[in-house]
Structures are given as C-alpha cells and as structure tokens.
Amino acid sequence: MDIQIQWFPGHMAKAKRQVQDALKLVDVAFELLDARIPVSSSNPMIDQILGQKPRVIILNKSDLADPSITKQWQRALDRPYIKAIAVDTIKGEGLKEVPRVASMLVAEQMAKLAAKGRRPRAIRCMVLGIPNVGKSTFINRLVGRKATKTGDTPGVTKGQQWIRTQGSLELLDTPGILWPKFEDPEVGYKLAVTGAIKEQVFDIYEVSLKLLQWLAEYNPEKLKERYRMNELNPEATKLLWDIGVKRGLLVSGGLVDESKVAQLILKEFREGLLGRYTLDLPPM
C-alpha cells in the first residue's frame, strides 16, 4: 500500500519545540485520537514530549468505532496521570466528562497553588492531535460557539490561539503539524480509509479493494445487507464490480465506473453505514 506522504524530521523537530514551549503554560494536555485507529492516528513523539504531564486522551469519532473495543482501549490507556474518554464531537456525546476529568487530574496542583495564596483560575489546556482528527470541532463544542475554523480537509488550523470555554477551561489550540509516521504501510492504509489524509495522495481503488476484502471477511452479513446481495464474490475486484452494478454506477457500454464505486465504499465506511469498526486493537 504505497501512500506518498513524507515525514520530515525538520518539521517534526519544529513541532516538538512549539509543543514543549507551550507545555510550560498549560496544566493539562488534551490529545485527540481517532477511536477507530488510536495507534495509527497518534504521533509517535507525543509520549516523549508530554512525559508525565497530566493528559486527557480524547477518543474522538467513537460513534464510528466498535464500542466494546473502545472500552478496552480506555482501560489500556489508563495511567495515574492519563485518562481516556470516548467522545463524539459532532453530537457532543462524552464532552461533559472532559472538564470533570481535567479537574480531577490537576486537583493536587490547583490545591498547591491555593495553599500559596494564589487566586483560583481556569485550568489551562493544550489541544494536540494530527490533522483532521477533529481538534477544531472539539474546541468549538467545548467553547459553545464557532471559535475556530473547521473542515474535513487535513490541516485547517494554521496558528496558535487561546480560547476561553463557558466553564472552567482555557484552551490553547496548536497547528495540525504533528503528523503520524508512515513507515508502516498499514498505518498509511488505516489513515486513508478513515479520511485522515487527502485522497489525492493515495490510490483510492487499491485502498477500497483492501477495505472491501477485510469487510467481507470480518462482517459479510453487513455488506450483504447494505448492498442487497445474497452472496459475496470472494474476489475483491469482482465484489467491487457487483456493488457498482447494484448501485447503477455505470459508464457507457454498461461498464462499472470503478473509481466511483471505490469512492462510495470509502464514503459509506467513513460514515458508519457499513458498521462500527476499530482497526487498531489494544494490547492483550
């Protein structure tokens, strides 16, 4: 699975410095991951950068992930200074937990400040995550208004800004420059099927074939139901063709428009119409 994206060490070093400088200003970090791919949607330097800084891991898009595996991930990620929350930023589910958990993680630190006679203040939080994981929507939901530009194009956020929420938090947004590392082709594939990277940089047809093969093995009944088929062709190329015929995605001469079928499969997978799946499994 050849996905043409470069991981520039120089850019990563700059991103690391920016985050480390900002860390001095914050009490807790919010790390956004895609609940369907918690490993593939992370930046490999985050653990090193954050160290034991209190951290809330936001498993975003949890409405599209397998709920039982999301619970396993929450247990696997749990540390004394790390708590994971399953969130759906589009519907706002799970967001009420965020300020509560952040307060719990920094309670001791805030108590020390109070003991020194410091006045109570908002909890300062930094929002981290790779492009297109949902940082802007997450911030807008917490703030209760359109505080940052949002979009489904990776890399919408361009600069740093502090934003006050309606509650007890102040948020520092960071540019979406913490890219994942693409050395493992499986990581690239998972980012492609979940929509984390632009479709111009990978072969949509090849990615959709691999996804279709996996879906046919993992949950054939859902595919049959969605595309109204009695049987699934064991060959992914022929199965994609059959779906094209069923959906009427044809070109002149009655041939299937394979590109349109590939786009349809990816779109319906990303929207949860083919089922709720988690592609990265937690350690046993």
Side-chain angles (χ1 to χ4, degrees), residues 128-172:
L128 296 164
I130 67 166
N132 214 33
V133 79
K135 295 194 302 297
S136 295
T137 306
F138 170 74
I139 289 170
N140 290 341
R141 276 286 187 174
L142 279 185
V143 171
R145 57 186 166 82
K146 194 165 185 180
T148 67
K149 185 180 178 185
T150 61
D152 54 11
T153 302
V156 166
T157 310
K158 298 298 179 190
Q160 291 190 354
Q161 54 182 324
W162 281 99
I163 304 148
R164 185 68 188 261
T165 72
Q166 293 175 332
S168 58
L169 306 178
E170 277 184 354
L171 305 178
L172 176 63

Side-chain angles (χ1 to χ4, degrees), residues 112-130:
K112 286 178 182 175
L113 290 175
K116 291 178 181 176
R118 300 280 289 274
R119 287 193 305 179
R121 61 165 174 80
I123 299 169
R124 295 169 185 156
C125 316
M126 177 165 52
V127 184
L128 296 164
I130 67 166

